[in-house]
Amino acid sequence: MHSAKTVAFHTLGCKLNYSETSSISRLMEREGFEKKEFTDVADVYVINTCSVTDNADKECRQLVRRIQRKAPESLVVITGCYAQLKPGEIADIPGVDLVLGAAEKFNIVRHIRELSKNDAAKICSCDIEEVTGFHSSYSINDRTRTFLKVQDGCDYTCSFCTIPMARGKSRSASIDAVIEDARSLAASGAKEIVLTGINLGDFGKGPDGNAAAAITGRSENFYKLIQELDQVEGIERFRISSIEPNLLGNEIIEFVANSKRFMPHFHIPLQSGSNTILGAMRRRYKRELYADRVGHIKTLMPHCCIGVDVIVGFPGETDAYFQETYDFLHQLDVSYFHVFTYSERANTHALSIQPVVPVPLRNERNKILRNLSYMKMQYFEQQHSGQTRKVLFENHNKNGMMEGYTDNYIRISTPHRTEWENQVIDWKL
Ligand code: SF4
């Protein structure tokens, strides 16, 4: 039995992973662990991995090597998506003591107590089909803005994606549980909640992946969730982290347009502006639907910020198809893109699609779209120049500066003033 007392964390990947690390950390602190920085010496190191990150195994290996040099007696625990997908590969990394799959990451303390440093690496994992529980999680970095996980898993079958294999079926918290979390976040001083999930718009399926109605006797969906959250006192702002275009119905757009608390900001994955490529990706919409969603948002909220995820270099993306994506994005009234370069993932259908786009060309396309994104953001910001908008300033003092976001997600940086921390200030842009 291990008598570890201190723990340090490192997170790779998305906001959902960060919120889960944050919850695992609070859970361990409640069990008597003291939290250390990852650069400090600790009894236990937890690395929360991601399967989307390129070279996840390389990154993991480097981190474990660093720990071994610094603290050879410490326990090393690897969890997260990559740990669920490739537990054997991770257990083979010299220095790893414990690999926790998706179902076990919140039982971390019990597993650590049962470990000894010199045992062979232990794998605690099960088939992803058996992972059905839902653990609500939230991150509190600086109290101002928190990421609240309300949904996990995905039932879609996009041909490039391993997330359903790493995180399992779509399932969510009940609306009552989310409201309770939001109230306790408000009581702890949080001003903004960012709703996060893997496929957030699919909110409403219960912990076993069935409709929540089967469990709670109520029919729940994302639209009902945001309506009820809007009533929570104390939270000044909500944001929707990302929502699939086919699940972003008019009622959600119209609700956000009329809400004082839901911010005029959407992040909507597009992935490609070519219907042929969207089909090969097994996405559930065509570009016309996407353009329609953007049009409806901008008609109701001309000031709304819209972010776009896009993948370049997907197999079969010829110059002509890439040009379609470029032209589509160019004429679309959106504010910025997150550009991902396609990279092969084991056990995905996309591996069988030809022709493969050479890596240098993928990188070149990434650069082209990033430049376009930069111009879009500049244009969006210029459109608001001279306007007064509300900025929520965060608690950090970064070398004498502080940062905050307007309602429509324009980042403001200004010399630090203590009295503005965690406050909403009218700001002339
Ligand atoms: S919607 Fe598609 S890309 Fe997103 S998690 Fe589900 S399968 Fe992956």
Short mmCIF file of all heavy atoms in Angstrom, two decimals, residues 179 183 226-234 238 255 261:
data_model
loop_
_atom_site.label_atom_id
_atom_site.label_comp_id
_atom_site.label_asym_id
_atom_site.label_seq_id
_atom_site.Cartn_x
_atom_site.Cartn_y
_atom_site.Cartn_z
N ILE A 179 -27.69 22.39 -12.72
CA ILE A 179 -28.12 23.60 -12.01
C ILE A 179 -27.45 23.66 -10.63
O ILE A 179 -26.98 24.72 -10.20
CB ILE A 179 -29.67 23.62 -11.83
CG1 ILE A 179 -30.37 23.59 -13.19
CG2 ILE A 179 -30.14 24.80 -10.98
CD1 ILE A 179 -30.24 24.84 -14.01
N ARG A 183 -25.01 26.57 -9.31
CA ARG A 183 -25.26 27.34 -8.07
C ARG A 183 -24.03 27.31 -7.18
O ARG A 183 -23.64 28.32 -6.61
CB ARG A 183 -26.46 26.77 -7.32
CG ARG A 183 -27.75 27.10 -8.02
CD ARG A 183 -28.94 27.04 -7.05
NE ARG A 183 -30.15 27.36 -7.77
CZ ARG A 183 -31.14 26.50 -8.00
NH1 ARG A 183 -31.08 25.28 -7.51
NH2 ARG A 183 -32.19 26.88 -8.69
N ILE A 226 -30.32 25.10 -21.37
CA ILE A 226 -29.90 26.51 -21.37
C ILE A 226 -31.03 27.42 -20.85
O ILE A 226 -30.79 28.41 -20.19
CB ILE A 226 -29.35 26.99 -22.74
CG1 ILE A 226 -30.36 26.82 -23.87
CG2 ILE A 226 -28.06 26.27 -23.07
CD1 ILE A 226 -29.89 27.40 -25.20
N GLN A 227 -32.27 27.00 -21.10
CA GLN A 227 -33.39 27.81 -20.57
C GLN A 227 -33.35 27.81 -19.04
O GLN A 227 -33.55 28.83 -18.40
CB GLN A 227 -34.72 27.23 -21.04
CG GLN A 227 -35.04 27.55 -22.48
CD GLN A 227 -36.30 26.83 -22.91
OE1 GLN A 227 -36.35 25.62 -22.98
NE2 GLN A 227 -37.33 27.60 -23.19
N GLU A 228 -33.08 26.65 -18.45
CA GLU A 228 -33.07 26.59 -16.98
C GLU A 228 -31.83 27.25 -16.39
O GLU A 228 -31.89 27.91 -15.35
CB GLU A 228 -33.22 25.14 -16.50
CG GLU A 228 -34.59 24.60 -16.88
CD GLU A 228 -35.09 23.48 -16.00
OE1 GLU A 228 -34.65 23.40 -14.83
OE2 GLU A 228 -35.91 22.70 -16.50
N LEU A 229 -30.69 27.10 -17.06
CA LEU A 229 -29.47 27.74 -16.56
C LEU A 229 -29.60 29.26 -16.54
O LEU A 229 -29.04 29.94 -15.68
CB LEU A 229 -28.27 27.35 -17.43
CG LEU A 229 -27.62 26.00 -17.12
CD1 LEU A 229 -26.56 25.69 -18.18
CD2 LEU A 229 -26.98 25.98 -15.73
N ASP A 230 -30.33 29.76 -17.52
CA ASP A 230 -30.50 31.21 -17.64
C ASP A 230 -31.12 31.82 -16.38
O ASP A 230 -31.01 33.02 -16.15
CB ASP A 230 -31.40 31.48 -18.86
CG ASP A 230 -31.10 32.83 -19.50
OD1 ASP A 230 -29.92 33.18 -19.59
OD2 ASP A 230 -32.06 33.52 -19.88
N GLN A 231 -31.77 30.98 -15.58
CA GLN A 231 -32.45 31.48 -14.36
C GLN A 231 -31.53 31.44 -13.13
O GLN A 231 -31.92 31.91 -12.08
CB GLN A 231 -33.66 30.59 -14.02
CG GLN A 231 -34.62 30.32 -15.17
CD GLN A 231 -35.29 31.58 -15.66
OE1 GLN A 231 -35.61 32.45 -14.85
NE2 GLN A 231 -35.44 31.72 -16.96
N VAL A 232 -30.33 30.84 -13.26
CA VAL A 232 -29.47 30.69 -12.07
C VAL A 232 -28.92 32.05 -11.65
O VAL A 232 -28.25 32.73 -12.44
CB VAL A 232 -28.30 29.70 -12.35
CG1 VAL A 232 -27.34 29.65 -11.16
CG2 VAL A 232 -28.84 28.32 -12.65
N GLU A 233 -29.22 32.44 -10.41
CA GLU A 233 -28.73 33.72 -9.91
C GLU A 233 -27.22 33.66 -9.66
O GLU A 233 -26.71 32.62 -9.24
CB GLU A 233 -29.42 34.06 -8.58
CG GLU A 233 -30.91 34.35 -8.69
CD GLU A 233 -31.21 35.57 -9.54
OE1 GLU A 233 -30.40 36.50 -9.54
OE2 GLU A 233 -32.25 35.56 -10.22
N GLY A 234 -26.54 34.75 -9.89
CA GLY A 234 -25.13 34.83 -9.50
C GLY A 234 -24.17 34.59 -10.64
O GLY A 234 -23.06 35.08 -10.62
N PHE A 238 -22.88 32.88 -19.49
CA PHE A 238 -22.70 31.50 -19.94
C PHE A 238 -22.19 31.55 -21.38
O PHE A 238 -22.57 32.43 -22.15
CB PHE A 238 -24.04 30.75 -19.95
CG PHE A 238 -24.56 30.44 -18.58
CD1 PHE A 238 -25.52 31.25 -17.99
CD2 PHE A 238 -24.11 29.33 -17.88
CE1 PHE A 238 -26.02 30.98 -16.72
CE2 PHE A 238 -24.59 29.04 -16.61
CZ PHE A 238 -25.54 29.87 -16.02
N PHE A 255 -32.94 31.82 -28.68
CA PHE A 255 -32.87 31.96 -27.22
C PHE A 255 -31.62 32.76 -26.83
O PHE A 255 -31.70 33.69 -26.03
CB PHE A 255 -32.83 30.57 -26.56
CG PHE A 255 -32.74 30.66 -25.07
CD1 PHE A 255 -33.87 30.94 -24.32
CD2 PHE A 255 -31.52 30.53 -24.43
CE1 PHE A 255 -33.78 31.07 -22.94
CE2 PHE A 255 -31.42 30.66 -23.06
CZ PHE A 255 -32.56 30.93 -22.31
N ARG A 261 -27.78 36.51 -20.40
CA ARG A 261 -26.67 35.78 -19.78
C ARG A 261 -25.91 34.90 -20.77
O ARG A 261 -24.72 34.67 -20.58
CB ARG A 261 -27.20 34.91 -18.66
CG ARG A 261 -27.62 35.74 -17.48
CD ARG A 261 -27.92 34.86 -16.31
NE ARG A 261 -28.27 35.66 -15.17
CZ ARG A 261 -29.09 35.28 -14.22
NH1 ARG A 261 -29.64 34.10 -14.28
NH2 ARG A 261 -29.35 36.06 -13.22
#
